[in-house]
Amino acid sequence: MAALLGALALAQTALALEDGIYRDKAPGYGGDVIVEAVVREGKMTEIRTENTGGDKSDYYLKAEKELIAQILEKQSLEGVDAVAGSTGTSESILQAMQGIWEQAEYTGRAEGGNSVKAPTLTPEPKPTV
C-alpha cells in the first residue's frame, strides 16, 4: 500500500486546480470514506470527510485532522504520509483525495471554450431506517 500512496503523491505536484466543490469516496473500515474538497482561486481551501460506517473513531479523527492540515499546507499529496496508528483511515482519505485531485486538475479549455475536467462523483445516499 505504501507504493500506491507513493505513486499517488508523485502525480500531485503544484498543479493548478479549477475552482469548485469536489467529492470522491474510498472504501474504509465498516463503510466508505467520503471526502469533499473546496477549491477557490486555484487553491484547495477546505476539506471535509464523512464516514458512512457511522461515528468517527479516535483513529479516524486523528488521521482526518493531520492529513487535512498537511494537504492544505502543501497544496499537494506529495510528501503527505499516512498517520501512524491510523494507517487504514489515512489510506482511505488519501485514495479519495487522489480522485478529487484528478477531478480538480485544471487542464485548459476544450473546443467551444468549455473547461475539461473529470465528473464529480456523488456517493450513494444513506438508507433510511
Side-chain angles (χ1 to χ4, degrees):
M1 194 50 102
L4 169 67
L5 292 175
L8 294 176
L10 287 177
Q12 305 309 319
T13 57
L15 299 174
L17 302 176
E18 189 159 339
D19 288 359
I21 299 172
Y22 301 90
R23 293 177 69 139
D24 206 341
K25 65 181 176 178
Y29 292 111
D32 290 332
V33 172
I34 299 171
V35 178
E36 181 176 87
V38 177
V39 176
R40 290 191 184 109
E41 298 180 7
K43 290 186 147 190
M44 197 158 293
T45 59
E46 297 174 52
I47 301 171
R48 295 179 287 277
T49 74
E50 178 185 340
N51 177 10
T52 64
D55 293 332
K56 296 178 180 179
S57 69
D58 289 340
Y59 299 108
Y60 185 105
L61 293 170
K62 179 180 177 184
E64 177 184 54
K65 179 181 177 184
E66 291 184 30
L67 290 176
I68 288 172
Q70 287 184 59
I71 293 166
L72 291 176
E73 178 185 333
K74 296 177 185 227
Q75 290 294 304
S76 173
L77 297 180
E78 186 173 344
V80 176
D81 296 319
V83 176
S86 301
T87 306
T89 299
S90 295
E91 290 171 351
S92 296
I93 292 171
L94 290 171
Q95 183 180 350
M97 280 303 307
Q98 172 64 29
I100 286 172
W101 227 281
E102 290 170 2
Q103 293 172 53
E105 180 182 305
Y106 179 75
T107 57
R109 300 277 173 200
E111 286 185 39
N114 294 323
S115 296
V116 178
K117 63 182 177 181
T120 301
L121 298 179
T122 304
E124 295 104 34
K126 291 182 182 179
T128 56
V129 181

